[in-house]
Amino acid sequence: MMLFYSLGIISLVSIGIYYFIWKDKLSDKKNLEKDWQKFLKSESLNDIKGIASNGDKLIWNKYLLTEQLDQIIDVVNSRISDFPELKKLENNAFNKKLHYDRPLPYPGSSGGKKQSW
Protein backbone atom coordinates (compact mmCIF):
# COMPACT_ATOMS: atom_id res chain seq x y z
CA MET A 1 0.00 0.00 0.00
CA MET A 2 2.84 2.35 0.85
CA LEU A 3 4.31 1.69 -2.61
CA PHE A 4 1.13 2.99 -4.30
CA TYR A 5 1.14 6.15 -2.18
CA SER A 6 4.79 6.75 -3.05
CA LEU A 7 4.17 6.23 -6.76
CA GLY A 8 1.12 8.49 -6.61
CA ILE A 9 3.04 11.30 -4.91
CA ILE A 10 5.95 10.96 -7.36
CA SER A 11 3.49 11.06 -10.27
CA LEU A 12 1.75 14.17 -8.94
CA VAL A 13 5.06 15.98 -8.39
CA SER A 14 6.19 15.02 -11.91
CA ILE A 15 2.96 16.30 -13.44
CA GLY A 16 3.27 19.53 -11.44
CA ILE A 17 6.84 20.13 -12.60
CA TYR A 18 5.88 19.41 -16.23
CA TYR A 19 2.97 21.85 -15.95
CA PHE A 20 5.18 24.68 -14.70
CA ILE A 21 7.75 24.06 -17.44
CA TRP A 22 4.97 24.06 -20.04
CA LYS A 23 3.54 27.35 -18.71
CA ASP A 24 7.01 28.96 -18.77
CA LYS A 25 7.53 27.95 -22.42
CA LEU A 26 4.08 29.27 -23.34
CA SER A 27 4.81 32.55 -21.56
CA ASP A 28 8.14 32.94 -23.42
CA LYS A 29 6.46 32.41 -26.77
CA LYS A 30 3.66 34.84 -25.95
CA ASN A 31 5.92 37.60 -24.59
CA LEU A 32 8.58 37.57 -27.31
CA GLU A 33 6.92 40.13 -29.60
CA LYS A 34 5.90 42.40 -26.73
CA ASP A 35 9.42 42.41 -25.26
CA TRP A 36 10.90 42.96 -28.72
CA GLN A 37 8.74 46.04 -29.28
CA LYS A 38 9.76 47.39 -25.85
CA PHE A 39 13.41 46.87 -26.76
CA LEU A 40 13.00 48.70 -30.08
CA LYS A 41 11.22 51.58 -28.33
CA SER A 42 14.00 51.82 -25.72
CA GLU A 43 16.55 51.86 -28.52
CA SER A 44 14.78 54.66 -30.38
CA LEU A 45 14.54 56.72 -27.16
CA ASN A 46 18.16 55.88 -26.26
CA ASP A 47 16.90 54.61 -22.88
CA ILE A 48 19.92 52.66 -21.62
CA LYS A 49 18.13 51.11 -18.65
CA GLY A 50 15.31 50.01 -20.95
CA ILE A 51 17.77 48.57 -23.45
CA ALA A 52 19.53 46.64 -20.68
CA SER A 53 16.38 45.26 -19.02
CA ASN A 54 14.41 44.48 -22.18
CA GLY A 55 17.50 43.09 -23.89
CA ASP A 56 18.14 40.81 -20.94
CA LYS A 57 14.55 39.53 -21.06
CA LEU A 58 14.98 38.81 -24.75
CA ILE A 59 18.33 37.07 -24.31
CA TRP A 60 16.79 34.59 -21.88
CA ASN A 61 13.77 33.95 -24.11
CA LYS A 62 14.26 30.59 -25.83
CA TYR A 63 12.26 31.71 -28.89
CA LEU A 64 14.58 34.64 -29.72
CA LEU A 65 15.44 34.66 -33.42
CA THR A 66 18.99 34.93 -34.72
CA GLU A 67 18.15 38.17 -36.53
CA GLN A 68 16.86 39.68 -33.30
CA LEU A 69 19.98 38.58 -31.44
CA ASP A 70 22.17 40.16 -34.12
CA GLN A 71 20.28 43.43 -33.78
CA ILE A 72 20.66 43.36 -29.98
CA ILE A 73 24.40 42.82 -30.42
CA ASP A 74 24.62 45.74 -32.88
CA VAL A 75 22.71 48.06 -30.54
CA VAL A 76 24.87 47.13 -27.55
CA ASN A 77 28.15 47.35 -29.47
CA SER A 78 27.28 50.83 -30.72
CA ARG A 79 26.65 52.10 -27.17
CA ILE A 80 29.00 50.07 -24.95
CA SER A 81 31.84 52.62 -25.05
CA ASP A 82 29.60 55.38 -23.68
CA PHE A 83 27.50 53.25 -21.31
CA PRO A 84 29.46 50.59 -19.39
CA GLU A 85 26.24 49.41 -17.71
CA LEU A 86 25.53 47.49 -20.92
CA LYS A 87 28.52 45.20 -20.30
CA LYS A 88 26.38 42.46 -18.73
CA LEU A 89 24.02 42.49 -21.71
CA GLU A 90 27.00 42.41 -24.07
CA ASN A 91 28.37 39.30 -22.32
CA ASN A 92 24.99 37.57 -22.27
CA ALA A 93 24.39 38.34 -25.96
CA PHE A 94 27.86 37.07 -26.86
CA ASN A 95 27.24 33.82 -24.98
CA LYS A 96 23.84 33.40 -26.63
CA LYS A 97 25.47 33.92 -30.04
CA LEU A 98 28.04 31.23 -29.20
CA HIS A 99 25.18 28.95 -28.20
CA TYR A 100 23.39 29.54 -31.51
CA ASP A 101 26.58 29.03 -33.55
CA ARG A 102 27.74 25.84 -31.84
CA PRO A 103 28.18 22.77 -34.04
CA LEU A 104 25.38 20.31 -33.47
CA PRO A 105 25.94 16.57 -33.70
CA TYR A 106 24.21 14.61 -36.41
CA PRO A 107 24.10 10.88 -37.11
CA GLY A 108 27.52 9.66 -38.17
CA SER A 109 29.33 12.70 -36.82
CA SER A 110 31.82 12.88 -34.00
CA GLY A 111 29.26 14.62 -31.78
CA GLY A 112 30.17 18.14 -32.90
CA LYS A 113 33.86 17.65 -32.08
CA LYS A 114 36.56 18.23 -34.64
CA GLN A 115 38.36 15.06 -35.54
CA SER A 116 42.10 14.96 -35.84
CA TRP A 117 43.22 12.22 -38.17
Side-chain angles (χ1 to χ4, degrees), residues 9-100:
I9 290 172
I10 291 171
S11 297
L12 286 175
V13 169
S14 299
I15 290 170
I17 290 171
Y18 178 77
Y19 174 77
F20 286 116
I21 291 172
W22 175 76
K23 288 292 278 183
D24 188 50
K25 285 182 181 181
L26 190 64
S27 174
D28 272 355
K29 193 177 234 181
K30 186 176 79 171
N31 290 332
L32 177 64
E33 185 59 32
K34 180 181 70 166
D35 290 339
W36 180 246
Q37 292 305 319
K38 285 181 181 179
F39 177 79
L40 292 176
K41 184 175 181 181
S42 297
E43 177 196 3
S44 67
L45 296 173
N46 203 25
D47 175 20
I48 300 305
K49 288 184 181 182
I51 290 172
S53 66
N54 293 316
D56 198 52
K57 285 181 192 175
L58 287 166
I59 293 294
W60 293 106
N61 191 316
K62 70 180 296 172
Y63 295 102
L64 181 69
L65 302 175
T66 306
E67 297 81 23
Q68 292 171 324
L69 178 60
D70 291 338
Q71 189 169 352
I72 291 171
I73 290 171
D74 290 341
V75 167
V76 170
N77 286 340
S78 68
R79 291 174 170 83
I80 192 72
S81 59
D82 297 328
F83 303 101
E85 55 264 34
L86 292 176
K87 187 68 177 167
K88 181 180 173 191
L89 180 58
E90 180 189 37
N91 289 336
N92 288 339
F94 176 75
N95 287 330
K96 184 76 162 199
K97 183 72 171 166
L98 287 178
H99 175 74
Y100 279 0

